[in-house]
Amino acid sequence: AEKGNAHAQYRLGFAYKHGQGVAKDKIEALKWYKIAAAEGYPRSETRVQGLAKDMTSAEVAESEKRAAEWQAATLKRLSGKS
């Protein structure tokens, strides 16, 4: 997931949503589904919409913030900038 693999990102979202190997965390689940959706991974957008319906606007906003921070840090890392 950290290397930009959309399938791994989707699976990480699934793991957080269902508590598989990690503590259940819908904010982290939505973050990873959103990242996978941004990469064009099939079914991710459907998962984003379904999960967001069961979350508060504050939770969705936090998830979006985390996704944006992860994406910015990843772009910075991949470009070789510190």
Side-chain angles (χ1 to χ4, degrees), residues 23-79:
K24 278 187 181 184
D25 185 334
K26 57 188 171 184
I27 294 172
E28 279 296 302
L30 187 60
K31 167 189 150 181
W32 287 108
Y33 282 148
K34 281 185 165 291
I35 291 168
E39 295 287 332
Y41 192 77
R43 299 186 308 264
S44 294
E45 191 58 42
T46 302
R47 297 285 184 178
V48 165
Q49 292 170 4
L51 185 56
K53 283 187 214 175
D54 297 327
M55 297 171 68
T56 66
S57 58
E59 290 171 329
V60 171
E62 177 62 25
S63 178
E64 290 171 348
K65 177 182 168 232
R66 291 181 193 183
E69 288 170 349
W70 183 89
Q71 289 168 320
T74 299
L75 286 174
K76 188 175 181 181
R77 187 178 72 246
L78 294 175
S79 71

